[in-house]
Amino acid sequence: MKPHERTEKCKEVFSLLSDYLDLELPADACQEIEAHIAGCPPCIEFAESLRKTVELCRHYQPAKLPEPIGKQAREQLLNAYGKILSERETAP
Ligand SMILES: [Zn+2]
């Protein structure tokens, strides 16, 4: 996979993560995210900060969800992810 394509996939995953963080993502989409993250260093980096959310996704059970992620926490995660991606895009 070329770096650019990887970045495009990252952005696609990022858009999914928006729903992911809203706890609106079905299990198969969670698996797609995790499959991409497994082979993508920038997303691995981001996943480290999302570990708790990933764990939540793996055990996705709509009737048993803990408290939703707060709006402020979500924005921090999105900002962190965008920062990681922009740094990767400008790196040599
Ligand atoms: Zn990625």
Side-chain angles (χ1 to χ4, degrees):
M1 191 183 295
K2 297 175 183 176
H4 178 70
E5 291 172 345
R6 170 173 287 176
T7 303
E8 289 301 305
K9 181 64 177 178
C10 291
K11 289 178 179 176
E12 181 183 330
V13 169
F14 178 54
S15 71
L16 288 174
L17 279 170
S18 179
D19 291 335
Y20 187 105
L21 293 176
D22 281 334
L23 306 180
E24 294 175 350
L25 215 54
D28 60 342
C30 291
Q31 290 173 0
E32 182 178 341
I33 288 176
E34 292 178 359
H36 171 80
I37 286 175
C40 183
C43 287
I44 289 172
E45 195 174 322
F46 180 61
E48 284 299 308
S49 66
L50 260 180
R51 186 191 299 275
K52 288 180 70 174
T53 309
V54 171
E55 286 298 312
L56 181 69
C57 196
R58 286 202 177 111
H59 303 292
Y60 186 76
Q61 294 181 19
K64 288 188 175 182
L65 285 176
E67 294 182 13
I69 296 171
K71 183 180 179 183
Q72 185 176 3
R74 182 188 164 189
E75 288 176 350
Q76 289 175 347
L77 287 170
L78 296 183
N79 286 339
Y81 192 60
K83 185 165 180 267
I84 289 170
L85 285 187
S86 65
E87 286 174 351
R88 295 283 172 167
E89 284 177 347
T90 57

